[in-house]
Amino acid sequence: QDDSVTVLPSPQEVTATLRKNEFNKEFTYGTIKSYDSNQLASNNPIEDTRSEGQCIFTPGFLMGVFDGHGGPACAQVISKRMLKYIAASLLSVHNLEKIKKQEVMDNLIETFNDKADIVQDLKVIYEKSFRKYLDDLSKLHEEGDVDVQTCLEKSILHLDDDLSKEVLDPYSTDGFINHKTLSVALSGAVACIAYIDGPHLYVANIGDCNAVLGTMTEENEWISKKITKEHNSENIDELKRIWNEHPENERNTIIRRDRLLGELAPLRSLGDFRYKWSADMLGKLAVPLIGQRAIPANYHTPPYLTAKPDVFYHRLTPKDKFLIIASDGIWDMMTPLQSVKLVGEHMKGKVFFNPLKLPKKNIQLGDINELLLHRKESLKSKPKDRNAATHLIRHAIGGTEYGVDHSRLAHLLSLSPDVSRMFRDDMTVTVIYFDSEYLRQCPA
Amino acid sequence: QKKNLSNCLEDLPSKAKVVICGGGVMGAAVAYHLSKRGWGGDTVIIEKERVGQGSRWHSSGLVGAFKPSLAQVKIAQSSIQLLKDLESQGKETGWKQCGSLLIARTRDRMTVYRRMKSQSVSWGIPCELVNPKKCQEIWPLLNVDDVLGGLWIPGDGVGDPYLFCMSLMEEAIKNGVGVKEECSITAVHSKNGRVSGVETTQGPIECQYFVNCAGFWARQVGQLAKPQVKVPLLPCEHYYLHTKQIGNLDPMTPVLRDPDGYIYLRERDGCILAGGFEPIAKPVYEEEIENSTQRCLPEDWDHFHVLLQELLKRVPSLNQSVLHKLCNGLEAFSPDCKWIVGEAPEIFNYHVAAGMKTVGISAAGGVAEATVDEIVEGYTKYDMYELDISRFLGLHNNKRFLRDRVKEAPGIHYGLPYPFHEFETGRNLRLSPIYPTLRDKGAVFGQVMGYERPTWFESVEKEADMPRPFKIAHTKTFGKPHWFETVQREYWACREAIGLADYSSFTKIDIQSQGNEVVDLLQYLCSNDVDVPVGSIIHTGMQNERGGYENDCSLARISENHYMMIAPTIQQTRCKVWMRRHLPVNGSVTLSDVTSMYTAICILGPFTRNLLSELTDTDLSPSNFPFFTFKELDVGLANGVRAMNLTHTGELGYVLYIPNEFALHVYNRLISQGEKYGITHVGYYAARSLRVEKFFAFWGQDLDTMTTPLECGRTWRVKFDKDIPFIGREALLKQREMGVTRQYVQLLLTDHEHELDLWSWGGEPIYRDGNYCGQTTTTSYGFTFKKQVCLGFVQNLDKDGIPQKVTNDYILSGHYEIDIAGIRYAAKVNLHSPNLPTKYPDKERDVYQATRKLHDPTQFLGRHYQP
């Protein structure tokens, strides 16, 4: 219907589009030297979200990427709530009790690139859920070492459970259907969250995002270590798990066309209560909103879906240079090794975005010349984008055998959202750089 | 070691004659010179910060006399004289006559030095060519492995801009100048087109003159005026490297300039101070630079590296020198890397002295003297067109244009001064409607006033890819240029077939009135009689009070009270200002610049009448459309083409001024009908060669504000025989009585081998019987003479160098030589345009020429016929 002439964006316009959501933060001390993040939408609005923050009462950073589906609601909500839930689970008993008693609760986490806000009425509901969560935590709390893996798992499951309760509780007491909480519960999101504390790296993964570690070998070559294993139909363990959880006679219907019940690509996710609640409950809550198709075909033994994360642990060494967390929009376009090589090359070139700072006093002009000659050689490989996440997205979209192709980039970026989603998904990338010097000095 | 200026003003006066904006060395020098003329009590300097605020780390203090042109040399010499005068009166200036050494890495650079050495005779700058061994003796730390030689200028030196500025200020204050610090100009007002006063942060001042000496901020200060004054300048990063103390460094170490490495070095307080002008500069994108602190940016070593490498190569021992400081100070450059001086075209009595491009100390004394001459006397002692602010158009002040161009500008400073320099940036700006076609037909372009003008046409293959890429002309030699054969082919097309040239860049002005006011005005402005029959074209100068040329133009009388003026391209701003200055105040005469409304196509050659006859029904025979007349023609299917039966180069032909929308149509008709006559595209270089061989003078190249018609053989074009007053009449009458002291001549080099010898490119000294007698202006190879042709002025200098009267006998009785880069070539002198042999004599036009002899050309000195 649109027969107007499409004018391809210029290189400057492409760059402006790619850099629109760029974010970078540097840290002065600790494992994380800095991080770069960026997002590029294909859907309108974008269904990916991300959040990063530093725990206030405990050491450690949390960095998450969330890829929504069936609408942006769930991903938006969990990106606002998840880090807080995890941070709370890591609190000491003392701090937990102190915070519970506060009229206005202290922030548990300092977030860095937090632009979105939750509407006021939901805020009230979420605050209530969170206080309840803190009560539960203090009941369950056992003295002794906090097991991070358990904390991650429990807090994520608790959040998912709260998404459900925030619909079911008012319905069961007053028969009231809150459409806002319901739309969150009916949409879904996969998530990948890294928790970094000193040399300890934990990655909790639900669904098909991935975290990849970039490591430099003794021979100065880049190798990629894929930390996560995505929960989709290519994951045979995951298929076995699902088959085992349901009767034998559902074996042919439970995964069809590589999807859960023929509908959902990721095999674990948050929200998505259309695959978790009973058919009866769906009939009461979801059918009035979206009709009979709300109940998937062959829906016999729910729940079919869980938000239970796989939690991976890795002890960081000075060889580990960075961690890439990205939604499947990126991983559809490039392999983990490609991404590590791109970020590795970028790291080398990135140094030269900064002007030369002379290292010492009383330096001779000849020595300055040596330094500059060395820089000049490296300046040739200076990347176009200062932000590594942008660098990855640029290559993911415009990459060809012979480098980034402008016309390819321009074409793919100028498609309308309904066409665009056939060629590429929303992309979200967070690249976390580690301080090798700090890691070298970390006690074992 | 900074001091405070004492006796500054507490309060602003409400009135002054002159307000100077800027208390830097430039403003101080203007105030100083004004005070020397007794204007001290009427002059106020307004300084935004403190006087001498500029950082000492951000200046080189180099003072060199050798500059590329006479005006610049005169200015530098005046500055040096001022330094010496102050110093001899015991005022501190930091002046140290340590000499300067210029070294060459390439043969072309050596040629430049040889040309400078030969020019130094005309300019009075003692200097000496030296071999590499001597270079090393003068500068012991020098690496001369790749040095071919050098030029040693013992009179050069260094000064301290800060001390110089303070001493000038103190002198100025002593002579009554008021200095107000920490006060900013916020507006410059005008009334009836003249400066009427300024607003400052501390109140208004009524004044008659305003001098913008704001240096780095001159462009912004220009914008404070109503109407806005355009001072095209943009800042670039500019570096100064300071080492720590170097043992045994002679304080009299000369300044070293190594232009092939873009660098200079000097001694300062036992340390080396070095810098340069890198080929690709880094323009500044920060918009708001408010004060001298913000003018210093963090250093970008990667950018400076180009210069550092060259410094270390030239002086290897610097490798072990310890860095003290690298300073990145912003410096403003003009689009052509020349100073900006003179009265602003927008407002009378608004003077600009800015864009000193880091060498303010060499420029200040002289530029200030010239500015003060202009304010007090009304004119400068020497022609300043080259530096005049009226050399620009509005486009030059476009920030994006400046940003593009300024990358290239600083590099010009040390670049090789090849003939016909072209910029690579800021191109494809003003384009005639036939530009794309000419480009595809092989045009290679030169830029003049932003206009792309074909210089020559490369041969293109028919199947060549269209559109052809834009190509910029280059010469890059001092000998026979690579375009020689191409231009030769075009030249012969004009002489024996038909040449077609794009003259669109010419300035075109319509001047008209209701009654005969326009005739009265032009009679007063022009030295020739412009009250000619309608349809005639008159060639005339517009003289100043001294008889010099302010403008040289053709006037076509379109109707009783309507003239169309055709003037040189570079006059577009300037001639309008000159005329506006004299327009009747009642507004009865209107000027309209129609340059952009017409495309000018010139057809030259013996068959042009036949060609044009095929395209129009108008009878073009000489009886109906004689030579040197104008007609509005229908050409092809178009109408309203203003056709002038002349070519500006002495060939037969027509210039067609075509309304833009018809331009391509008329062009296409000319080309297709002209094919059987062998019509050929010709560029500017061929036209130039034609006019030099025919001995035609051009304003801006041969003629200037100091040259009179009597000196260039155009006496017969002055209406002496009529009792009509015009500007300059008295001066010219006096000169006619006294005789001239310089004469425009044509010189043909008789023993010059154009294939092997270096060519003359203008500015070469002329010797008569072995004695220096003048300089060449424009030169070319004469394809008919098969000789190098030089135009220039000859003087009769007595043994004290005082010019004496020049007569025909004096000119013709001498034996002449031209010195090209140190070799003298014998030359045959011509006083009149030569008769070039031609295969196609034009009887009618010859007859017409003969009728013009009513002026009896033999009566006066210069009688060569020049349409």
Side-chain angles (χ1 to χ4, degrees), chain B residues 522-543:
Chain B
L522 288 175
Q523 285 292 43
Y524 180 63
L525 283 174
C526 301
S527 47
N528 206 346
D529 183 5
V530 300
D531 195 4
V532 288
V534 170
S536 300
I537 301 170
I538 188 84
H539 195 152
T540 177
M542 291 186 181
Q543 319 311 127

Side-chain angles (χ1 to χ4, degrees), chain B residues 20-24 45-51 53 180-185 201-202 214 216-217 220-221 289-292 294:
Chain B
I20 300 170
C21 173
I45 298 183
I46 305 291
E47 164 58 40
K48 188 172 63 172
E49 296 177 61
R50 303 295 292 271
V51 165
Q53 187 83 12
K180 180 72 192 148
E181 296 184 314
E182 289 167 336
C183 174
S184 305
I185 304 274
T201 46
Q202 311 207 7
F216 182 79
W217 289 277
Q220 285 92 314
V221 168
I289 295 157
E290 300 282 350
N291 55 47
S292 45
Q294 288 171 0

Side-chain angles (χ1 to χ4, degrees), chain B residues 729-747:
Chain B
R729 183 180 163 96
E730 285 64 39
L732 293 178
L733 279 171
K734 190 173 163 214
Q735 194 181 41
R736 187 170 68 160
E737 200 177 305
M738 305 287 290
V740 296
T741 57
R742 58 203 284 264
Q743 179 62 43
Y744 190 49
V745 298
Q746 185 184 48
L747 294 149

Side-chain angles (χ1 to χ4, degrees), chain A residues 53-88:
Chain A
Q54 180 169 18
C55 300
I56 289 172
F57 294 95
T58 52
F61 287 85
L62 285 161
M63 313 280 203
V65 165
F66 311 96
D67 178 356
H69 46 258
C74 181
Q76 282 172 4
V77 165
I78 62 171
S79 74
K80 289 294 288 187
R81 300 174 75 185
M82 174 94 72
L83 305 195
K84 229 165 112 179
Y85 270 68
I86 298 172

Side-chain angles (χ1 to χ4, degrees), chain A residues 362-363 365-366 369 373 375, chain B residues 244 302 305 309 319 321 323:
Chain A
N362 287 333
I363 188 165
L365 295 178
N369 187 38
L373 283 172
R375 267 172 77 86
Chain B
K244 292 206 168 158
D302 296 310
H305 192 204
Q309 276 182 306
N319 272 298
S321 301
L323 172 74

Side-chain angles (χ1 to χ4, degrees), chain B residues 433-434 436-438 441 500 601 611 615 635-637 656 658 661-675 679 681:
Chain B
I434 57 172
T437 316
L438 297 179
K441 294 279 168 76
L500 181 148
I601 294 176
L611 170 61
L615 295 171
V635 179
L637 309 184
L656 306 176
I658 313 159
E661 65 270 34
F662 292 137
L664 200 53
H665 171 81
V666 171
Y667 165 85
N668 285 334
R669 290 295 165 111
L670 286 169
I671 290 292
S672 54
Q673 290 297 320
E675 205 177 339
I679 196 166
H681 289 96

Side-chain angles (χ1 to χ4, degrees), chain A residues 352 354-356 358 362-369 372-373 375-376 379, chain B residues 241 243-244 299-302 304-305 308-309 312 318-323:
Chain A
F352 306 104
N354 300 320
L356 176 72
L358 291 180
N362 287 333
I363 188 165
Q364 293 184 349
L365 295 178
D367 296 338
I368 298 175
N369 187 38
L372 291 170
L373 283 172
R375 267 172 77 86
K376 198 166 156 192
L379 275 171
Chain B
L241 178 83
T243 68
K244 292 206 168 158
E299 64 273 20
D300 176 351
W301 276 97
D302 296 310
F304 182 70
H305 192 204
L308 179 65
Q309 276 182 306
L312 295 177
L318 278 180
N319 272 298
Q320 285 79 49
S321 301
V322 176
L323 172 74

